[in-house]
Amino acid sequence: MTHPTPTLPDPAPAAFTPLEFGVGARITLAVMSDRYADIILDAIRSTDTAGLTVDTGVVSTFVGGAEADILRYLTDLIGAAARSGHHVTATVHFSRGCPGEVVCALPGGAGPLASEIPAATPVGIIAAGEWALYPLDDGGRPGTQPDHMRDIYAAIDFAKANGSFVASEHFVTRLQGDLATVLQTAAAGWILVGQSVQHVTSHLTLSINSPSAR
Amino acid sequence: MTHPTPTLPDPAPAAFTPLEFGVGARITLAVMSDRYADIILDAIRSTDTAGLTVDTGVVSTFVGGAEADILRYLTDLIGAAARSGHHVTATVHFSRGCPGEVVCALPGGAGPLASEIPAATPVGIIAAGEWALYPLDDGGRPGTQPDHMRDIYAAIDFAKANGSFVASEHFVTRLQGDLATVLQTAAAGWILVGQSVQHVTSHLTLSINSPSAR
């Protein structure tokens, strides 16, 4: 699947690795079955972590690394759990440009880190999603022209072009489509805004195999 | 439970109702049991919606209204599901100052809408949380002095004062404590930042009865 890439300013060559730049995601997976522990553990065991730093905590699993590796990991992990046939929800939190928490380990002014939008290969699992996208820091390099609304509209246009856009709701954009495409949409918006803004986060809540969606 | 309230600028008298100002939350509840549908439906039926606009969708339920009503609703709903004894996760997304999606129905410049931090009555359920807080719009009234970092530090101080702060992690603050206190912490940060910033969102992922936390 190919998509028109909106024209955006040319960022400087990357001075950071994705991990140094804080490119990563947190994922919380829920399987609504008495067998949830086995299903989640099997999904984790079957998912390739090549190229990624993975750290599982009580609430979520952190994955850090390049965008394409993160997207592949999330698609495979959530897909494996969804193939159980049970109702699955997943909470995904993408971040870039601010490793750390309150105080960024990478201070503002480092500028954006450009990246390509990874391709999505459909996996045959339909997912419903709610998506929010946050440009958080305009402390770009001199000469860059951050423009939140332009980049957010580019992200929405991407969702419309790949067919995953459903509707605008309070606080979120409703997405629907193949799991890989819905995840790609949220990652694409995050990457597109990240071409001109250093610190960008994106939150996606997914529902799969819901009886209320049938 | 009482807490010191940080000194923050005096906002103008409210010109909007909470609903007009876009004060609301989205909640996605997952119960890891074969009986999840009954448990979630029972939790919804037993939870008082007084004062709130409630709209249940495929991915989440939207609740709009005053902060204290929203917090009571979330505590009761999640608490009812957790009392099943099963492993429960909940994804909570607070927003204020921007009803709508890409384009705020309430344009920037409306200024902040001040609100009190609701009290928390412990419910006897321990929750682990991961929390992110986003000040998104400084388009305040002339004369206000927005200061993101001051307000975010006030929010973290609140979490330390009520005992729910655990640690700073990549992208999030780890919280732990009584469900009511953890929800209060995320709402308090959102309300504190909202005293000087119009558009503020806060995302909280909760894990309750997790076997890996025992």
Side-chain angles (χ1 to χ4, degrees), chain B residues 111-146:
Chain B
L113 176 67
S115 182
E116 298 294 310
I117 297 170
T121 306
V123 292
I125 296 164
I126 297 300
E130 285 180 352
W131 172 42
L133 178 60
Y134 302 124
L136 291 168
D137 189 321
D138 273 344
R141 297 184 322 285
T144 60
Q145 291 289 328

Coordinates of all heavy atoms in Angstrom, one line a residue, chain B residues 111-146:
Chain B
G111 N -9.8 31.1 27.3 CA -9.2 31.2 28.6 C -9.5 29.9 29.4 O -10.3 29.1 29.0
P112 N -8.7 29.7 30.5 CA -8.9 28.5 31.3 C -10.2 28.6 32.1 O -10.9 29.6 32.2 CB -7.7 28.6 32.3 CG -7.3 30.0 32.4 CD -7.7 30.6 31.1
L113 N -10.7 27.4 32.5 CA -11.9 27.3 33.4 C -11.4 26.7 34.7 O -11.1 25.5 34.7 CB -13.0 26.5 32.7 CG -14.2 26.2 33.5 CD1 -15.0 27.5 33.7 CD2 -15.1 25.2 32.8
A114 N -11.4 27.4 35.8 CA -10.9 26.9 37.0 C -11.9 26.0 37.7 O -13.1 26.1 37.5 CB -10.6 28.1 38.0
S115 N -11.4 25.0 38.4 CA -12.2 24.1 39.1 C -11.5 23.5 40.3 O -10.3 23.5 40.4 CB -12.6 22.9 38.2 OG -13.5 22.0 38.8
E116 N -12.3 23.1 41.3 CA -11.7 22.5 42.5 C -11.2 21.1 42.3 O -11.9 20.4 41.5 CB -12.7 22.5 43.7 CG -13.2 23.9 44.1 CD -12.0 24.7 44.7 OE1 -11.4 24.2 45.6 OE2 -11.8 25.9 44.3
I117 N -10.2 20.7 43.0 CA -9.8 19.2 43.0 C -10.8 18.5 43.8 O -11.0 18.8 45.0 CB -8.4 19.0 43.5 CG1 -7.4 19.8 42.6 CG2 -8.1 17.6 43.6 CD1 -6.0 19.9 43.1
P118 N -11.6 17.5 43.2 CA -12.5 16.7 44.1 C -11.8 15.9 45.1 O -10.7 15.4 45.0 CB -13.2 15.8 43.0 CG -12.9 16.4 41.7 CD -11.6 17.1 41.8
A119 N -12.5 15.7 46.3 CA -12.0 14.9 47.3 C -12.0 13.4 46.9 O -12.8 13.1 46.0 CB -12.9 15.0 48.6
A120 N -11.2 12.6 47.4 CA -11.2 11.2 47.1 C -11.5 10.4 48.4 O -10.8 10.5 49.4 CB -9.8 10.7 46.6
T121 N -12.5 9.5 48.3 CA -12.8 8.6 49.5 C -12.3 7.2 49.1 O -12.8 6.7 48.1 CB -14.3 8.6 49.7 OG1 -14.8 9.9 49.9 CG2 -14.7 7.8 50.9
P122 N -11.3 6.7 49.8 CA -10.8 5.4 49.4 C -11.8 4.3 49.3 O -12.8 4.3 50.1 CB -9.8 5.1 50.5 CG -9.4 6.5 51.0 CD -10.6 7.3 50.9
V123 N -11.7 3.4 48.3 CA -12.7 2.4 48.1 C -12.1 1.0 48.4 O -12.8 0.0 48.2 CB -13.2 2.4 46.6 CG1 -14.0 3.7 46.4 CG2 -12.1 2.3 45.6
G124 N -10.9 0.9 48.9 CA -10.3 -0.4 49.3 C -9.8 -1.2 48.1 O -9.7 -2.5 48.3
I125 N -9.6 -0.6 47.0 CA -9.1 -1.4 45.8 C -7.8 -0.8 45.4 O -7.7 0.4 45.2 CB -10.1 -1.3 44.6 CG1 -11.4 -2.0 45.0 CG2 -9.5 -1.9 43.4 CD1 -12.5 -1.6 44.1
I126 N -6.7 -1.6 45.3 CA -5.4 -1.1 45.0 C -5.2 -1.1 43.5 O -5.5 -2.1 42.8 CB -4.3 -1.9 45.6 CG1 -4.4 -1.9 47.1 CG2 -2.9 -1.5 45.1 CD1 -4.2 -0.5 47.7
A127 N -4.8 0.1 42.9 CA -4.6 0.2 41.5 C -3.2 0.7 41.2 O -2.6 1.5 41.9 CB -5.6 1.2 40.9
A128 N -2.6 0.1 40.1 CA -1.3 0.6 39.6 C -1.7 1.4 38.3 O -2.5 1.1 37.5 CB -0.4 -0.5 39.2
G129 N -1.0 2.6 38.2 CA -1.3 3.4 37.0 C -0.1 4.0 36.3 O 1.0 4.1 36.9
E130 N -0.3 4.3 35.0 CA 0.7 5.1 34.3 C 0.0 6.3 33.7 O -1.0 6.2 33.1 CB 1.3 4.3 33.2 CG 2.3 3.2 33.7 CD 2.9 2.4 32.6 OE1 2.5 2.5 31.4 OE2 3.8 1.6 32.9
W131 N 0.6 7.5 33.9 CA -0.1 8.7 33.8 C 0.7 9.7 32.9 O 1.9 9.9 33.2 CB -0.4 9.3 35.2 CG -0.9 10.7 35.2 CD1 -1.9 11.2 34.5 CD2 -0.6 11.7 36.2 NE1 -2.2 12.5 34.8 CE2 -1.4 12.8 35.9 CE3 0.4 11.8 37.2 CZ2 -1.2 14.0 36.6 CZ3 0.5 12.9 37.9 CH2 -0.3 14.0 37.6
A132 N 0.1 10.3 31.9 CA 0.7 11.4 31.2 C -0.2 12.6 31.2 O -1.4 12.5 31.1 CB 0.9 10.9 29.7
L133 N 0.3 13.8 31.2 CA -0.4 15.1 31.4 C 0.1 16.0 30.3 O 1.3 16.3 30.2 CB -0.1 15.6 32.8 CG -0.7 17.0 33.2 CD1 -2.3 16.9 33.2 CD2 -0.2 17.3 34.6
Y134 N -0.9 16.6 29.5 CA -0.5 17.4 28.4 C -1.2 18.8 28.4 O -2.4 18.9 28.1 CB -0.9 16.7 27.1 CG -0.3 15.4 26.9 CD1 -1.1 14.2 26.6 CD2 1.1 15.2 26.9 CE1 -0.6 13.0 26.4 CE2 1.6 13.9 26.7 CZ 0.8 12.8 26.5 OH 1.3 11.6 26.3
P135 N -0.4 19.9 28.7 CA -0.9 21.2 28.5 C -0.8 21.5 27.0 O 0.3 21.4 26.4 CB 0.1 22.1 29.3 CG 1.0 21.1 30.0 CD 0.9 19.8 29.3
L136 N -1.9 21.9 26.3 CA -1.9 21.9 24.9 C -2.2 23.3 24.3 O -1.9 23.5 23.1 CB -3.0 21.0 24.3 CG -2.7 19.5 24.6 CD1 -3.9 18.6 24.3 CD2 -1.5 19.0 23.7
D137 N -2.7 24.2 25.0 CA -3.0 25.5 24.4 C -2.7 26.6 25.5 O -3.3 26.6 26.5 CB -4.4 25.5 24.0 CG -4.7 26.8 23.2 OD1 -4.2 27.9 23.5 OD2 -5.5 26.7 22.2
D138 N -1.9 27.5 25.1 CA -1.6 28.7 26.0 C -2.4 29.9 25.6 O -2.1 31.0 26.0 CB -0.1 29.0 26.0 CG 0.6 28.2 27.1 OD1 -0.1 27.6 27.9 OD2 1.8 28.1 27.0
G139 N -3.3 29.8 24.7 CA -4.1 30.9 24.2 C -5.0 31.5 25.3 O -6.2 31.6 25.1
G140 N -4.4 31.8 26.4 CA -5.2 32.3 27.5 C -5.6 33.7 27.4 O -5.3 34.4 26.4
R141 N -6.4 34.2 28.3 CA -6.8 35.6 28.3 C -5.6 36.5 28.5 O -4.6 36.1 29.2 CB -7.8 35.9 29.4 CG -9.1 35.2 29.3 CD -10.0 35.6 30.4 NE -9.3 35.8 31.7 CZ -8.8 34.9 32.5 NH1 -9.0 33.6 32.1 NH2 -8.2 35.1 33.6
P142 N -5.6 37.8 28.0 CA -4.5 38.7 28.3 C -4.3 38.8 29.8 O -5.3 38.9 30.5 CB -5.0 40.0 27.6 CG -6.0 39.6 26.6 CD -6.6 38.3 27.1
G143 N -3.1 38.9 30.2 CA -2.8 39.1 31.6 C -2.6 37.8 32.4 O -2.0 37.8 33.5
T144 N -3.0 36.6 31.8 CA -2.6 35.4 32.5 C -1.2 35.0 32.1 O -0.7 35.4 31.0 CB -3.6 34.2 32.0 OG1 -3.5 34.1 30.6 CG2 -5.0 34.5 32.4
Q145 N -0.5 34.3 32.9 CA 0.9 33.9 32.7 C 1.0 32.4 32.7 O 1.3 31.8 33.7 CB 1.8 34.5 33.8 CG 1.9 36.1 33.8 CD 2.7 36.5 32.6 OE1 3.6 35.9 32.2 NE2 2.4 37.7 32.1
P146 N 0.7 31.8 31.6 CA 0.8 30.3 31.6 C 2.3 29.9 31.8 O 3.2 30.5 31.4 CB 0.4 29.9 30.1 CG -0.2 31.2 29.5 CD 0.4 32.3 30.3

